[in-house]
Amino acid sequence: MTRSVTTRRSTVGRRAARTAVVLGATAGLTYSLPSLATLRRLRLRVTPHLAGIGAADHVALTFDDGPDPVSTPQFLEVLAELDVQATFFVLGSLLADSPALAREMVAAGHELAVHGWDHRPMLLRGPRSTRYQLERTRDLVAEVTGRAPRFVRPPHGILSAGLLVAARDLELTPVLWSAWGRDWTAEATPRSVLATLAPDLHGGATVLLHDCDCTSAPGAWRSALGALPEIAAR
């Protein structure tokens, strides 16, 4: 059986298209595979270090999405009363607007870490954009506070291969969380935050809360603020 040149070219074209689709899907899966760590129970079992499981004699208290000149100072005040230090995963775009507040946070003994320049999920960014987000925020933290950040937590806790590579190159350690208060919803209250945290609030835990509502329901940060004294007591 013979085929025309046109038929052969058409067959080759279809095969090439199928191959491109397979390769693209494989590349996309590989790039997004780390995002499975977003599933908290899975990462607690498989990657406890990434989940923030640490020494059993302490709990790491962390806040995302700030700094905010309205809400963050109120957290600083309560934390000072409780004599508790925390790690704040900051957005570079907000840090650029409140450098004095950031210096106040560090002067109070708190740690600043990288959350990203904005809150767009890193999985929606390519490798170059991801690195730019992290590097820009890292450099601004170092410039404003005089201390280079050590940790990175991507928005929504969604990892990607691009983020892991960039974090390694920038000497940033990714860390997510093992306990959260779901304090970003409009229905959240100090009592609901405590109830949500309770099953996972134990030695070695890393607790996720929010000191800003820039990506949450308006005023939702008050639920985390109100829960802080009891969290410290527990």
Side-chain angles (χ1 to χ4, degrees), residues 101-122:
L101 176 56
R103 287 190 286 269
E104 180 183 344
M105 295 161 74
V106 171
H110 304 296
E111 179 179 31
L112 266 59
V114 174
H115 198 33
W117 190 263
D118 57 44
H119 209 264
R120 184 186 180 197
M122 294 293 182

Side-chain angles (χ1 to χ4, degrees), residues 17 63 98 103 152:
F63 297 92
S98 301
R103 287 190 286 269
V152 58

Side-chain angles (χ1 to χ4, degrees), residues 11-12 27 114 158 169 177 196 231:
T11 300
V12 171
V114 174
I158 300 176
D169 292 345
W177 60 88
T196 305
I231 291 173

Side-chain angles (χ1 to χ4, degrees), residues 72-84 224-229:
T72 302
Q74 299 189 53
F75 283 85
L76 299 182
E77 182 178 347
V78 173
L79 291 172
E81 293 173 355
L82 298 171
D83 192 24
V84 169
L225 182 69
L228 279 182

Side-chain angles (χ1 to χ4, degrees), residues 187-200:
E187 298 78 20
T189 65
R191 180 174 295 181
S192 73
V193 169
L194 289 167
T196 305
L197 282 173
D200 302 301

Side-chain angles (χ1 to χ4, degrees), residues 87-138:
T87 299
F88 290 81
F89 287 85
V90 299
L91 293 174
S93 57
L94 296 187
L95 175 61
D97 292 334
S98 301
L101 176 56
R103 287 190 286 269
E104 180 183 344
M105 295 161 74
V106 171
H110 304 296
E111 179 179 31
L112 266 59
V114 174
H115 198 33
W117 190 263
D118 57 44
H119 209 264
R120 184 186 180 197
M122 294 293 182
L123 194 57
L124 301 181
R125 300 181 181 278
R128 294 177 64 181
S129 176
T130 296
R131 181 188 173 94
Y132 178 68
Q133 281 267 317
L134 300 190
E135 186 172 19
R136 188 181 182 190
T137 306
R138 181 203 64 174

Side-chain angles (χ1 to χ4, degrees), residues 29-104:
L29 178 62
T30 301
Y31 191 79
S32 63
L33 189 60
S35 67
L36 291 175
T38 305
L39 303 174
R40 188 167 59 95
R41 294 302 177 187
L42 177 63
R43 71 170 177 266
L44 286 173
R45 292 195 298 269
V46 179
T47 57
H49 183 70
L50 178 63
I53 300 298
D57 62 350
H58 76 278
V59 169
L61 184 61
T62 71
F63 297 92
D64 282 7
D65 294 358
D68 185 291
V70 173
S71 55
T72 302
Q74 299 189 53
F75 283 85
L76 299 182
E77 182 178 347
V78 173
L79 291 172
E81 293 173 355
L82 298 171
D83 192 24
V84 169
Q85 279 72 50
T87 299
F88 290 81
F89 287 85
V90 299
L91 293 174
S93 57
L94 296 187
L95 175 61
D97 292 334
S98 301
L101 176 56
R103 287 190 286 269
E104 180 183 344

Side-chain angles (χ1 to χ4, degrees), residues 111-230:
E111 179 179 31
L112 266 59
V114 174
H115 198 33
W117 190 263
D118 57 44
H119 209 264
R120 184 186 180 197
M122 294 293 182
L123 194 57
L124 301 181
R125 300 181 181 278
R128 294 177 64 181
S129 176
T130 296
R131 181 188 173 94
Y132 178 68
Q133 281 267 317
L134 300 190
E135 186 172 19
R136 188 181 182 190
T137 306
R138 181 203 64 174
D139 291 350
L140 183 60
V141 171
E143 177 187 341
V144 168
T145 69
R147 299 180 184 180
R150 299 183 297 160
F151 300 105
V152 58
R153 174 185 291 157
H156 309 287
I158 300 176
L159 299 170
S160 69
L163 181 133
L164 295 178
V165 170
R168 181 193 61 198
D169 292 345
L170 298 171
E171 299 182 343
L172 294 169
T173 300
V175 61
L176 300 182
W177 60 88
S178 61
W180 63 0
R182 296 187 67 85
D183 56 323
W184 59 86
T185 67
E187 298 78 20
T189 65
R191 180 174 295 181
S192 73
V193 169
L194 289 167
T196 305
L197 282 173
D200 302 301
L201 190 60
H202 49 68
T206 292
V207 174
L208 166 64
L209 297 170
H210 296 78
D211 65 309
C212 174
D213 62 10
C214 69
T215 63
S216 307
W221 55 268
R222 297 182 186 279
S223 63
L225 182 69
L228 279 182
E230 181 60 24

